[in-house]
Amino acid sequence: MVEQPYVYQRRELVEPDWRRLPGWANVTREEWESAQWQRAHCVKNVRQLREVTGPGLSEEFLAGLERDQRERATMSMLIPPQMLNTIAPAVPASSPGFTDAWYADPVRRYMIPVFTDRQPEWPSHPEAQRDSLHEAEMWVVEGLTHRYPTKVLAELLPTCPQYCGHCTRMDLVGNSTVSVAKHKFGMAREDRLTAMLDYLRRTPGVRDVVVSGGDVANLPWPRLESFVSALLEIESVRDIRLASKALMGLPQHWLSPEVQAGMTRLAAVARSRGVSIAIHTHVNAAQSVTPLVARAARAMLDTGIRDVRNQGVLLRGVNASAPALLDLCFALLDEARIMPYYFYMCDMIPGAEHWRLTLAEAQALQSAIMGYLPGFATPRMVCDVPYVGKRWVHQAARYDTVPGISYWTKNYRTALEADDPMALEREYPYYDPVHLLPAEGQEWWRARARQPELVR
Ligand code: SF4
Protein backbone atom coordinates (compact mmCIF):
# COMPACT_ATOMS: atom_id res chain seq x y z
CA MET A 1 0.00 0.00 0.00
CA VAL A 2 1.46 3.37 -1.00
CA GLU A 3 1.20 6.01 1.71
CA GLN A 4 -0.66 9.12 0.55
CA PRO A 5 -1.06 12.58 2.06
CA TYR A 6 -4.84 12.12 1.81
CA VAL A 7 -6.70 8.84 2.16
CA TYR A 8 -10.03 8.66 0.36
CA GLN A 9 -12.80 7.00 2.31
CA ARG A 10 -16.43 6.94 1.36
CA ARG A 11 -18.47 8.23 4.29
CA GLU A 12 -22.16 7.76 4.82
CA LEU A 13 -24.04 11.02 5.31
CA VAL A 14 -25.63 11.61 8.67
CA GLU A 15 -28.50 13.88 9.68
CA PRO A 16 -27.53 14.89 13.22
CA ASP A 17 -30.27 14.24 15.80
CA TRP A 18 -31.83 17.65 16.48
CA ARG A 19 -33.49 16.26 19.61
CA ARG A 20 -30.10 16.40 21.36
CA LEU A 21 -30.69 20.17 21.64
CA PRO A 22 -33.09 20.99 24.51
CA GLY A 23 -35.12 23.52 22.50
CA TRP A 24 -35.87 20.95 19.81
CA ALA A 25 -36.24 17.86 22.00
CA ASN A 26 -39.87 17.38 20.94
CA VAL A 27 -39.66 18.41 17.30
CA THR A 28 -41.04 15.71 15.02
CA ARG A 29 -39.55 14.60 11.70
CA GLU A 30 -42.54 16.04 9.91
CA GLU A 31 -41.95 19.44 11.48
CA TRP A 32 -38.21 19.24 10.79
CA GLU A 33 -38.77 18.49 7.13
CA SER A 34 -41.21 21.38 6.70
CA ALA A 35 -39.72 24.52 5.12
CA GLN A 36 -42.33 26.56 6.94
CA TRP A 37 -41.34 25.14 10.34
CA GLN A 38 -37.67 25.75 9.54
CA ARG A 39 -38.25 29.37 8.55
CA ALA A 40 -40.41 30.01 11.61
CA HIS A 41 -37.73 28.64 13.95
CA CYS A 42 -34.62 30.33 12.58
CA VAL A 43 -32.31 31.59 15.31
CA LYS A 44 -31.94 35.38 15.08
CA ASN A 45 -30.49 36.44 18.40
CA VAL A 46 -28.65 35.35 21.52
CA ARG A 47 -31.85 34.76 23.47
CA GLN A 48 -33.18 32.34 20.87
CA LEU A 49 -29.84 30.55 20.70
CA ARG A 50 -29.90 30.12 24.46
CA GLU A 51 -33.42 28.68 24.23
CA VAL A 52 -32.31 26.08 21.69
CA THR A 53 -29.05 25.01 23.30
CA GLY A 54 -30.17 25.30 26.92
CA PRO A 55 -27.54 25.81 29.61
CA GLY A 56 -24.96 23.73 27.67
CA LEU A 57 -23.52 26.77 25.93
CA SER A 58 -21.53 28.84 28.39
CA GLU A 59 -22.33 32.42 29.37
CA GLU A 60 -18.83 33.37 28.22
CA PHE A 61 -19.60 32.11 24.72
CA LEU A 62 -22.90 33.97 24.60
CA ALA A 63 -21.26 37.16 25.91
CA GLY A 64 -18.63 36.85 23.17
CA LEU A 65 -21.38 36.52 20.59
CA GLU A 66 -23.17 39.56 21.97
CA ARG A 67 -19.98 41.60 21.92
CA ASP A 68 -19.27 40.58 18.35
CA GLN A 69 -22.77 41.63 17.32
CA ARG A 70 -22.21 45.01 19.00
CA GLU A 71 -18.71 45.79 17.79
CA ARG A 72 -17.70 43.78 14.74
CA ALA A 73 -20.47 41.92 12.95
CA THR A 74 -21.18 42.94 9.38
CA MET A 75 -24.10 40.48 9.15
CA SER A 76 -27.02 40.07 11.51
CA MET A 77 -27.66 36.65 12.97
CA LEU A 78 -29.92 34.31 11.02
CA ILE A 79 -29.45 30.57 10.98
CA PRO A 80 -32.08 27.97 10.10
CA PRO A 81 -32.43 24.96 12.42
CA GLN A 82 -31.14 22.69 9.63
CA MET A 83 -27.82 24.52 9.61
CA LEU A 84 -27.56 25.08 13.33
CA ASN A 85 -28.09 21.35 13.85
CA THR A 86 -24.87 20.61 11.94
CA ILE A 87 -22.81 22.50 14.54
CA ALA A 88 -20.99 20.09 16.88
CA PRO A 89 -23.20 17.37 15.42
CA ALA A 90 -22.15 14.52 17.69
CA VAL A 91 -22.02 16.37 21.01
CA PRO A 92 -25.04 16.34 23.35
CA ALA A 93 -25.88 19.71 24.88
CA SER A 94 -25.45 18.16 28.34
CA SER A 95 -21.85 17.14 27.62
CA PRO A 96 -19.18 19.14 29.50
CA GLY A 97 -17.36 19.59 26.18
CA PHE A 98 -20.34 21.22 24.42
CA THR A 99 -19.09 24.82 24.52
CA ASP A 100 -15.56 23.84 23.47
CA ALA A 101 -17.02 21.87 20.57
CA TRP A 102 -18.96 24.99 19.55
CA TYR A 103 -15.88 27.21 19.70
CA ALA A 104 -14.00 24.78 17.47
CA ASP A 105 -16.76 23.98 15.02
CA PRO A 106 -16.25 25.00 11.36
CA VAL A 107 -19.90 25.89 10.68
CA ARG A 108 -20.17 27.86 13.93
CA ARG A 109 -17.00 29.76 13.08
CA TYR A 110 -18.48 31.35 9.99
CA MET A 111 -22.18 31.45 10.84
CA ILE A 112 -22.01 32.55 14.50
CA PRO A 113 -18.73 34.42 14.98
CA VAL A 114 -17.75 35.50 18.50
CA PHE A 115 -15.57 38.47 19.37
CA THR A 116 -12.48 36.41 20.22
CA ASP A 117 -12.53 34.80 16.76
CA ARG A 118 -11.60 38.12 15.14
CA GLN A 119 -8.07 39.26 14.56
CA PRO A 120 -7.27 41.63 17.45
CA GLU A 121 -4.78 44.04 15.84
CA TRP A 122 -6.11 44.04 12.30
CA PRO A 123 -9.78 42.93 12.40
CA SER A 124 -10.10 44.60 8.98
CA HIS A 125 -7.46 45.04 6.29
CA PRO A 126 -6.61 48.73 5.73
CA GLU A 127 -7.77 48.30 2.12
CA ALA A 128 -10.98 46.48 3.03
CA GLN A 129 -14.18 47.97 1.67
CA ARG A 130 -17.89 47.49 1.78
CA ASP A 131 -18.82 46.24 -1.69
CA SER A 132 -15.20 45.20 -2.05
CA LEU A 133 -15.84 43.93 -5.59
CA HIS A 134 -17.33 47.30 -6.62
CA GLU A 135 -20.40 45.60 -7.97
CA ALA A 136 -22.65 48.62 -7.49
CA GLU A 137 -20.29 50.71 -9.64
CA MET A 138 -20.93 48.24 -12.46
CA TRP A 139 -24.71 48.18 -12.16
CA VAL A 140 -26.33 48.78 -15.52
CA VAL A 141 -29.69 48.59 -13.79
CA GLU A 142 -29.92 48.74 -10.00
CA GLY A 143 -28.80 45.25 -8.90
CA LEU A 144 -27.66 44.08 -12.36
CA THR A 145 -23.86 43.92 -12.42
CA HIS A 146 -22.30 43.74 -15.88
CA ARG A 147 -18.66 43.00 -15.08
CA TYR A 148 -17.67 40.40 -17.66
CA PRO A 149 -18.27 40.72 -21.40
CA THR A 150 -20.71 37.81 -21.76
CA LYS A 151 -22.27 37.43 -18.34
CA VAL A 152 -24.20 39.37 -15.75
CA LEU A 153 -25.16 39.01 -12.11
CA ALA A 154 -28.79 39.79 -11.30
CA GLU A 155 -29.37 40.53 -7.63
CA LEU A 156 -33.10 39.99 -7.41
CA LEU A 157 -33.43 40.59 -3.68
CA PRO A 158 -31.26 41.53 -0.69
CA THR A 159 -32.23 38.76 1.73
CA CYS A 160 -31.37 35.11 2.39
CA PRO A 161 -32.76 32.37 4.65
CA GLN A 162 -29.36 32.40 6.39
CA TYR A 163 -26.75 35.09 6.91
CA CYS A 164 -23.08 34.12 6.69
CA GLY A 165 -20.58 36.11 8.73
CA HIS A 166 -18.23 36.56 5.76
CA CYS A 167 -20.83 37.59 3.18
CA THR A 168 -19.24 39.40 0.24
CA ARG A 169 -22.42 41.43 -0.29
CA MET A 170 -22.47 42.64 3.33
CA ASP A 171 -22.98 46.11 1.91
CA LEU A 172 -26.48 45.27 0.75
CA VAL A 173 -27.57 41.87 1.99
CA GLY A 174 -29.40 41.36 5.27
CA ASN A 175 -30.43 43.62 8.11
CA SER A 176 -28.28 46.48 9.32
CA THR A 177 -25.93 45.68 12.20
CA VAL A 178 -24.56 48.05 14.83
CA SER A 179 -21.52 48.81 12.65
CA VAL A 180 -23.01 48.49 9.15
CA ALA A 181 -26.06 50.40 7.93
CA LYS A 182 -27.04 48.41 4.85
CA HIS A 183 -27.64 50.10 1.56
CA LYS A 184 -31.12 49.73 0.18
CA PHE A 185 -32.29 49.37 -3.38
CA GLY A 186 -33.97 52.61 -4.39
CA MET A 187 -36.25 51.18 -7.08
CA ALA A 188 -39.28 49.01 -6.40
CA ARG A 189 -38.50 45.34 -7.01
CA GLU A 190 -40.92 44.92 -9.90
CA ASP A 191 -39.46 47.95 -11.67
CA ARG A 192 -35.92 46.66 -11.16
CA LEU A 193 -36.71 43.18 -12.47
CA THR A 194 -38.50 44.62 -15.49
CA ALA A 195 -35.55 46.93 -16.21
CA MET A 196 -33.13 43.99 -15.89
CA LEU A 197 -35.05 41.98 -18.47
CA ASP A 198 -35.24 45.02 -20.77
CA TYR A 199 -31.45 45.44 -20.55
CA LEU A 200 -30.87 41.77 -21.39
CA ARG A 201 -33.26 41.95 -24.36
CA ARG A 202 -31.29 44.82 -25.84
CA THR A 203 -27.85 43.38 -24.98
CA PRO A 204 -27.45 40.18 -27.01
CA GLY A 205 -23.75 39.88 -26.11
CA VAL A 206 -24.81 38.57 -22.70
CA ARG A 207 -25.36 34.81 -22.81
CA ASP A 208 -25.03 33.86 -19.12
CA VAL A 209 -27.18 35.19 -16.28
CA VAL A 210 -26.45 34.48 -12.62
CA VAL A 211 -29.78 34.90 -10.85
CA SER A 212 -28.83 35.73 -7.32
CA GLY A 213 -29.38 37.99 -4.34
CA GLY A 214 -29.24 37.39 -1.53
CA ASP A 215 -30.59 33.93 -2.12
CA VAL A 216 -33.27 33.11 -4.67
CA ALA A 217 -34.91 30.81 -2.11
CA ASN A 218 -36.29 33.94 -0.47
CA LEU A 219 -38.19 35.03 -3.54
CA PRO A 220 -41.73 33.66 -3.68
CA TRP A 221 -41.56 30.77 -6.15
CA PRO A 222 -44.09 32.17 -8.66
CA ARG A 223 -42.03 35.37 -8.97
CA LEU A 224 -38.78 33.47 -9.48
CA GLU A 225 -40.41 31.18 -12.01
CA SER A 226 -41.82 34.09 -13.99
CA PHE A 227 -38.42 35.85 -14.03
CA VAL A 228 -36.59 32.72 -15.20
CA SER A 229 -39.35 32.06 -17.77
CA ALA A 230 -38.81 35.56 -19.14
CA LEU A 231 -35.05 34.90 -19.34
CA LEU A 232 -35.76 31.68 -21.25
CA GLU A 233 -37.59 33.73 -23.86
CA ILE A 234 -34.50 35.84 -24.59
CA GLU A 235 -32.79 34.13 -27.50
CA SER A 236 -29.27 35.25 -26.52
CA VAL A 237 -29.43 33.80 -22.98
CA ARG A 238 -27.90 30.31 -23.02
CA ASP A 239 -26.91 29.71 -19.39
CA ILE A 240 -28.98 30.50 -16.30
CA ARG A 241 -27.54 29.87 -12.87
CA LEU A 242 -29.70 30.13 -9.78
CA ALA A 243 -27.68 31.02 -6.68
CA SER A 244 -28.95 29.46 -3.47
CA LYS A 245 -27.02 28.60 -0.37
CA ALA A 246 -30.40 27.45 0.95
CA LEU A 247 -30.00 24.22 -1.01
CA MET A 248 -27.73 23.37 1.93
CA GLY A 249 -29.02 25.75 4.63
CA LEU A 250 -32.71 25.09 4.03
CA PRO A 251 -32.99 22.05 1.74
CA GLN A 252 -36.62 21.78 2.86
CA HIS A 253 -37.36 24.75 0.59
CA TRP A 254 -36.03 23.01 -2.51
CA LEU A 255 -37.81 19.79 -1.52
CA SER A 256 -41.22 21.44 -1.33
CA PRO A 257 -43.72 20.16 -3.93
CA GLU A 258 -44.32 23.69 -5.29
CA VAL A 259 -40.62 24.25 -5.99
CA GLN A 260 -40.02 20.80 -7.46
CA ALA A 261 -43.03 21.13 -9.80
CA GLY A 262 -41.95 24.62 -10.83
CA MET A 263 -38.36 23.59 -11.54
CA THR A 264 -39.64 20.67 -13.62
CA ARG A 265 -41.60 23.15 -15.76
CA LEU A 266 -38.59 25.46 -16.15
CA ALA A 267 -36.24 22.59 -16.95
CA ALA A 268 -38.59 21.31 -19.67
CA VAL A 269 -38.71 24.70 -21.37
CA ALA A 270 -34.94 25.12 -21.01
CA ARG A 271 -34.27 21.72 -22.56
CA SER A 272 -36.60 22.41 -25.46
CA ARG A 273 -34.69 25.64 -26.17
CA GLY A 274 -31.22 24.21 -25.61
CA VAL A 275 -30.59 26.41 -22.56
CA SER A 276 -28.80 25.18 -19.44
CA ILE A 277 -30.24 25.87 -15.99
CA ALA A 278 -28.01 25.07 -13.02
CA ILE A 279 -28.24 25.70 -9.30
CA HIS A 280 -25.13 27.10 -7.67
CA THR A 281 -24.92 26.52 -3.97
CA HIS A 282 -22.43 27.45 -1.26
CA VAL A 283 -21.19 24.70 1.06
CA ASN A 284 -18.02 25.25 3.10
CA ALA A 285 -17.77 22.20 5.35
CA ALA A 286 -18.32 18.46 4.82
CA GLN A 287 -20.58 18.15 7.86
CA SER A 288 -23.10 20.44 6.13
CA VAL A 289 -23.76 17.76 3.51
CA THR A 290 -26.51 15.78 5.24
CA PRO A 291 -29.00 13.29 3.80
CA LEU A 292 -31.60 16.07 3.46
CA VAL A 293 -29.15 18.22 1.49
CA ALA A 294 -28.34 15.27 -0.77
CA ARG A 295 -32.04 14.60 -1.24
CA ALA A 296 -32.68 18.21 -2.24
CA ALA A 297 -29.80 18.23 -4.73
CA ARG A 298 -30.93 14.97 -6.29
CA ALA A 299 -34.54 16.20 -6.43
CA MET A 300 -33.36 19.24 -8.38
CA LEU A 301 -31.32 17.11 -10.78
CA ASP A 302 -34.37 14.90 -11.25
CA THR A 303 -36.33 17.91 -12.48
CA GLY A 304 -34.07 17.87 -15.53
CA ILE A 305 -31.83 20.87 -14.87
CA ARG A 306 -28.28 20.68 -16.15
CA ASP A 307 -26.33 20.62 -12.90
CA VAL A 308 -25.97 21.54 -9.24
CA ARG A 309 -22.57 23.08 -8.49
CA ASN A 310 -20.81 24.24 -5.37
CA GLN A 311 -19.01 27.53 -4.88
CA GLY A 312 -17.42 27.45 -1.45
CA VAL A 313 -15.27 30.05 0.24
CA LEU A 314 -11.82 29.34 1.67
CA LEU A 315 -11.98 30.25 5.34
CA ARG A 316 -9.40 29.78 8.05
CA GLY A 317 -10.77 27.65 10.88
CA VAL A 318 -13.43 26.24 8.57
CA ASN A 319 -11.90 24.44 5.61
CA ALA A 320 -8.35 25.71 5.02
CA SER A 321 -6.65 22.35 4.71
CA ALA A 322 -6.45 19.86 1.86
CA PRO A 323 -8.14 17.04 3.86
CA ALA A 324 -11.04 19.33 4.85
CA LEU A 325 -11.54 20.46 1.26
CA LEU A 326 -11.25 16.96 -0.18
CA ASP A 327 -13.65 15.53 2.43
CA LEU A 328 -16.12 18.23 1.43
CA CYS A 329 -15.68 17.65 -2.30
CA PHE A 330 -16.12 13.90 -1.99
CA ALA A 331 -19.22 14.31 0.20
CA LEU A 332 -20.70 16.64 -2.41
CA LEU A 333 -19.77 14.52 -5.39
CA ASP A 334 -20.29 10.98 -4.12
CA GLU A 335 -23.33 11.42 -1.95
CA ALA A 336 -25.19 14.48 -3.22
CA ARG A 337 -24.13 14.60 -6.91
CA ILE A 338 -23.16 18.25 -6.42
CA MET A 339 -20.26 19.29 -8.61
CA PRO A 340 -17.33 20.92 -6.78
CA TYR A 341 -16.71 24.01 -8.89
CA TYR A 342 -14.98 26.89 -7.14
CA PHE A 343 -13.43 27.84 -3.86
CA TYR A 344 -13.18 31.61 -3.61
CA MET A 345 -10.67 33.38 -1.50
CA CYS A 346 -12.66 35.32 1.11
CA ASP A 347 -13.17 38.84 -0.17
CA MET A 348 -11.66 41.92 1.45
CA ILE A 349 -14.67 43.07 3.40
CA PRO A 350 -14.39 44.61 6.89
CA GLY A 351 -13.95 42.19 9.78
CA ALA A 352 -12.77 39.27 7.66
CA GLU A 353 -9.05 39.11 8.45
CA HIS A 354 -9.24 36.13 10.78
CA TRP A 355 -10.94 34.14 8.03
CA ARG A 356 -8.82 35.22 5.08
CA LEU A 357 -5.87 33.25 3.67
CA THR A 358 -2.79 34.58 1.98
CA LEU A 359 -2.53 34.05 -1.74
CA ALA A 360 0.39 31.67 -1.09
CA GLU A 361 -1.81 29.54 1.17
CA ALA A 362 -4.53 29.37 -1.46
CA GLN A 363 -1.98 28.41 -4.11
CA ALA A 364 -0.65 25.65 -1.85
CA LEU A 365 -4.17 24.33 -1.27
CA GLN A 366 -4.85 24.24 -5.00
CA SER A 367 -1.69 22.21 -5.51
CA ALA A 368 -2.48 19.90 -2.59
CA ILE A 369 -5.91 18.83 -3.85
CA MET A 370 -4.84 18.06 -7.41
CA GLY A 371 -5.05 14.44 -8.54
CA TYR A 372 -7.56 13.06 -6.03
CA LEU A 373 -10.83 14.12 -7.61
CA PRO A 374 -11.79 13.57 -11.23
CA GLY A 375 -10.49 16.44 -13.31
CA PHE A 376 -14.01 17.63 -14.12
CA ALA A 377 -14.77 17.84 -10.37
CA THR A 378 -11.51 19.37 -9.17
CA PRO A 379 -12.50 22.81 -7.92
CA ARG A 380 -10.50 25.87 -8.89
CA MET A 381 -9.28 28.18 -6.19
CA VAL A 382 -10.07 31.67 -7.35
CA CYS A 383 -9.28 35.16 -6.22
CA ASP A 384 -11.94 37.74 -7.09
CA VAL A 385 -9.69 40.70 -7.70
CA PRO A 386 -11.38 44.11 -7.33
CA TYR A 387 -11.99 45.68 -10.78
CA VAL A 388 -10.57 42.54 -12.47
CA GLY A 389 -12.84 39.59 -11.69
CA LYS A 390 -12.13 35.97 -10.95
CA ARG A 391 -8.58 34.77 -11.56
CA TRP A 392 -7.14 31.37 -10.75
CA VAL A 393 -4.84 31.81 -7.78
CA HIS A 394 -1.78 30.93 -9.84
CA GLN A 395 -2.50 33.70 -12.35
CA ALA A 396 -0.99 36.59 -10.35
CA ALA A 397 1.35 38.62 -12.53
CA ARG A 398 3.59 39.50 -9.56
CA TYR A 399 3.49 38.79 -5.85
CA ASP A 400 5.46 40.64 -3.19
CA THR A 401 5.08 38.47 -0.11
CA VAL A 402 6.62 41.01 2.32
CA PRO A 403 3.79 43.58 2.24
CA GLY A 404 1.54 40.77 0.98
CA ILE A 405 0.48 42.43 -2.26
CA SER A 406 -0.24 40.46 -5.42
CA TYR A 407 -0.74 42.16 -8.77
CA TRP A 408 -3.14 41.02 -11.44
CA THR A 409 -4.02 41.91 -15.00
CA LYS A 410 -7.22 41.66 -16.96
CA ASN A 411 -8.18 40.87 -20.52
CA TYR A 412 -11.57 42.57 -20.87
CA ARG A 413 -13.12 45.92 -20.08
CA THR A 414 -16.16 46.78 -18.07
CA ALA A 415 -18.16 49.90 -18.87
CA LEU A 416 -16.07 51.63 -16.19
CA GLU A 417 -12.96 51.31 -18.35
CA ALA A 418 -14.61 51.98 -21.69
CA ASP A 419 -12.41 55.04 -22.25
CA ASP A 420 -9.33 53.82 -20.41
CA PRO A 421 -6.57 52.90 -22.89
CA MET A 422 -4.45 51.42 -20.08
CA ALA A 423 -7.15 49.16 -18.61
CA LEU A 424 -5.62 46.00 -20.05
CA GLU A 425 -2.02 46.97 -19.29
CA ARG A 426 -2.51 48.08 -15.71
CA GLU A 427 -1.84 45.85 -12.69
CA TYR A 428 -4.54 45.65 -10.03
CA PRO A 429 -3.59 44.86 -6.42
CA TYR A 430 -4.92 42.28 -3.99
CA TYR A 431 -3.82 42.08 -0.35
CA ASP A 432 -2.88 39.29 2.05
CA PRO A 433 -3.97 39.60 5.70
CA VAL A 434 -1.45 41.80 7.53
CA HIS A 435 -1.18 39.59 10.61
CA LEU A 436 0.17 36.73 8.47
CA LEU A 437 2.98 38.74 6.91
CA PRO A 438 6.63 38.56 7.94
CA ALA A 439 7.58 41.08 10.66
CA GLU A 440 8.95 43.52 8.08
CA GLY A 441 5.68 43.47 6.16
CA GLN A 442 3.60 44.01 9.28
CA GLU A 443 5.80 46.95 10.25
CA TRP A 444 5.34 48.42 6.74
CA TRP A 445 1.57 48.43 7.25
CA ARG A 446 1.86 49.87 10.76
CA ALA A 447 4.04 52.70 9.44
CA ARG A 448 1.55 53.29 6.66
CA ALA A 449 -1.30 53.43 9.17
CA ARG A 450 0.66 56.03 11.18
CA GLN A 451 1.79 58.14 8.24
CA PRO A 452 0.19 57.05 4.98
CA GLU A 453 2.00 59.71 2.88
CA LEU A 454 5.44 58.21 3.72
CA VAL A 455 4.85 54.78 2.32
CA ARG A 456 2.27 55.27 -0.40
S1 SF4 B 1 -26.14 33.04 1.49
FE1 SF4 B 1 -24.70 34.13 0.16
S2 SF4 B 1 -25.61 36.16 -0.11
FE2 SF4 B 1 -26.63 35.20 1.66
S3 SF4 B 1 -25.44 35.88 3.44
FE3 SF4 B 1 -24.57 33.93 2.80
S4 SF4 B 1 -22.88 34.50 1.43
FE4 SF4 B 1 -24.23 36.30 1.62
Side-chain angles (χ1 to χ4, degrees):
M1 197 63 179
V2 181
E3 202 175 306
Q4 304 289 3
Y6 174 80
V7 179
Y8 167 73
Q9 243 186 326
R10 192 160 173 198
R11 290 193 184 87
E12 204 182 328
L13 301 184
V14 184
E15 203 72 53
D17 185 358
W18 55 87
R19 289 166 306 178
R20 79 188 184 288
L21 297 167
W24 295 331
N26 298 316
V27 173
T28 64
R29 176 165 296 280
E30 194 187 355
E31 286 172 319
W32 191 261
E33 295 191 359
S34 147
Q36 209 182 355
W37 186 90
Q38 289 277 333
R39 286 189 192 267
H41 292 84
C42 284
V43 169
K44 303 188 202 74
N45 55 48
V46 174
R47 179 183 57 76
Q48 291 174 344
L49 182 61
R50 198 193 303 255
E51 282 168 11
V52 171
T53 58
L57 208 48
S58 74
E59 289 302 320
E60 184 204 6
F61 178 94
L62 296 169
L65 172 57
E66 249 160 0
R67 184 168 179 200
D68 197 75
Q69 296 273 302
R70 264 194 326 272
E71 297 182 33
R72 294 276 187 266
T74 57
M75 299 300 289
S76 61
M77 195 173 164
L78 182 65
I79 180 161
Q82 169 72 26
M83 242 190 130
L84 196 145
N85 188 40
T86 63
I87 297 176
V91 188
S94 55
S95 154
F98 187 70
T99 297
D100 286 346
W102 267 60
Y103 273 121
D105 188 86
V107 175
R108 195 287 301 165
R109 280 174 186 268
Y110 81 93
M111 291 303 292
I112 310 181
V114 294
F115 188 83
T116 49
D117 290 340
R118 309 267 179 186
Q119 225 292 310
E121 184 182 2
W122 301 95
S124 301
H125 193 282
E127 298 286 339
Q129 288 186 36
R130 301 171 57 133
D131 190 12
S132 70
L133 301 179
H134 306 278
E135 288 177 334
E137 289 172 45
M138 295 177 222
W139 282 349
V140 285
V141 167
E142 201 180 35
L144 186 70
T145 303
H146 194 167
R147 182 157 64 132
Y148 302 95
T150 60
K151 47 189 180 174
V152 293
L153 167 78
E155 293 167 86
L156 299 198
L157 75 174
T159 66
C160 310
Q162 63 285 305
Y163 291 135
C164 317
H166 65 280
C167 179
T168 291
R169 297 204 179 98
M170 47 70 68
D171 193 35
L172 188 74
V173 168
N175 306 312
S176 292
T177 65
V178 175
S179 49
V180 182
K182 304 283 166 147
H183 287 158
K184 303 275 178 232
F185 287 128
M187 292 168 72
R189 185 169 76 202
E190 286 311 304
D191 294 343
R192 287 197 311 110
L193 269 50
T194 301
M196 286 179 183
L197 292 167
D198 287 345
Y199 178 82
L200 293 170
R201 286 187 194 106
R202 63 176 190 268
T203 315
V206 173
R207 59 168 301 289
D208 179 1
V209 181
V210 178
V211 181
S212 183
D215 187 319
V216 295
N218 262 17
L219 200 61
W221 177 263
R223 188 64 193 96
L224 180 61
E225 184 171 346
S226 71
F227 185 83
V228 175
S229 298
L231 287 179
L232 285 167
E233 283 170 13
I234 302 174
E235 185 55 37
S236 44
V237 173
R238 312 309 298 160
D239 266 301
I240 299 171
R241 318 187 226 169
L242 306 179
S244 179
K245 184 177 180 113
L247 189 80
M248 174 274 283
L250 188 65
Q252 294 84 349
H253 169 83
W254 293 98
L255 283 164
S256 73
E258 180 191 30
V259 172
Q260 288 191 61
M263 279 299 276
T264 304
R265 288 189 293 271
L266 288 174
V269 176
R271 267 202 318 278
S272 72
R273 300 194 179 161
V275 177
S276 297
I277 295 182
I279 294 178
H280 281 216
T281 193
H282 169 189
V283 189
N284 294 331
Q287 71 208 59
S288 301
V289 188
T290 72
L292 267 171
V293 173
R295 212 199 308 162
R298 287 199 298 261
M300 286 300 104
L301 289 169
D302 288 347
T303 66
I305 61 170
R306 164 79 181 260
D307 213 347
V308 178
R309 307 186 183 108
N310 185 53
Q311 304 185 181
V313 178
L314 292 174
L315 298 165
R316 187 177 309 283
V318 176
N319 56 19
S321 74
L325 293 173
L326 288 168
D327 284 352
L328 167 57
C329 292
F330 282 118
L332 292 166
L333 189 64
D334 287 356
E335 313 307 330
R337 293 177 57 213
I338 297 174
M339 185 69 74
Y341 171 47
Y342 273 157
F343 282 107
Y344 285 89
M345 295 184 71
C346 178
D347 290 318
M348 290 187 46
I349 50 144
E353 293 311 276
H354 66 293
W355 283 308
R356 292 205 309 123
L357 272 58
T358 65
L359 178 67
E361 288 176 305
Q363 290 172 334
L365 283 173
Q366 178 77 81
S367 301
I369 66 161
M370 299 305 291
Y372 288 94
L373 291 147
F376 61 80
T378 301
R380 290 175 189 155
M381 313 279 165
V382 290
C383 180
D384 209 337
V385 182
Y387 292 119
V388 173
K390 280 173 280 296
R391 307 274 102 175
W392 302 353
V393 290
H394 284 92
Q395 278 185 289
R398 287 189 298 131
Y399 183 19
D400 185 345
T401 54
V402 174
I405 308 177
S406 48
Y407 300 89
W408 308 75
T409 56
K410 61 191 290 184
N411 55 334
Y412 41 74
R413 288 187 173 82
T414 64
L416 296 179
E417 297 114 11
D419 302 321
D420 179 356
M422 295 304 291
L424 307 190
E425 316 297 323
R426 185 171 295 123
E427 290 183 331
Y428 301 79
Y430 187 82
Y431 302 91
D432 287 345
V434 175
H435 71 107
L436 299 174
L437 301 177
E440 186 190 346
Q442 295 192 31
E443 198 37 54
W444 187 86
W445 282 101
R446 286 189 197 107
R448 186 178 181 276
R450 287 190 298 268
Q451 285 182 290
E453 70 283 1
L454 293 186
V455 287
R456 270 265 183 201

